[in-house]
Amino acid sequence: MSESPITLYRLQACPYCERVVRMLNELGLEYQSRYVEPMHSERNVVKRVSGARSVPAIVDRETGVTMSESANIVEYLESTYAEGGA
């Protein structure tokens, strides 16, 4: 089984993370969830991949894009993967 091209770094019960999850599901995209430490100062795995400790953050190996901030991620997913997108 191959690894999903998109990895989502997220927190449990985070409304911003759930916004990204809804968009991924709406677009029918396969993704892997990685739950991170609730304590902001301990989110080193997120800092290593995105340069910041904020979530949600995604890594899209298909396009080479890494980003955080839910609004930016949703916009990116729509423009990249929605029917008629860029």
Side-chain angles (χ1 to χ4, degrees):
M1 186 174 140
S2 67
E3 198 173 309
S4 299
I6 297 174
T7 302
L8 169 63
Y9 294 86
R10 64 194 278 206
L11 289 171
Q12 293 265 345
C14 162
Y16 301 105
C17 300
E18 292 307 313
R19 178 180 182 193
V20 174
V21 167
R22 275 193 307 277
M23 180 54 62
L24 286 162
N25 291 335
E26 239 176 70
L27 295 170
L29 297 172
E30 284 188 38
Y31 65 96
Q32 173 185 358
S33 283
R34 296 230 13 222
Y35 290 95
V36 299
E37 292 292 327
M39 189 73 122
H40 190 268
S41 62
E42 295 178 10
R43 295 185 202 151
N44 295 326
V45 68
V46 180
K47 181 148 176 66
R48 275 195 302 275
V49 297
S50 72
R53 288 187 168 94
S54 59
V55 291
I58 66 162
V59 176
D60 186 345
R61 283 175 293 289
E62 193 76 25
T63 61
V65 168
T66 299
M67 66 172 42
S68 53
E69 185 62 45
S70 63
N72 294 341
I73 295 170
V74 166
E75 186 178 311
Y76 161 76
L77 292 171
E78 284 181 315
S79 66
T80 306
Y81 293 105
E83 285 294 316

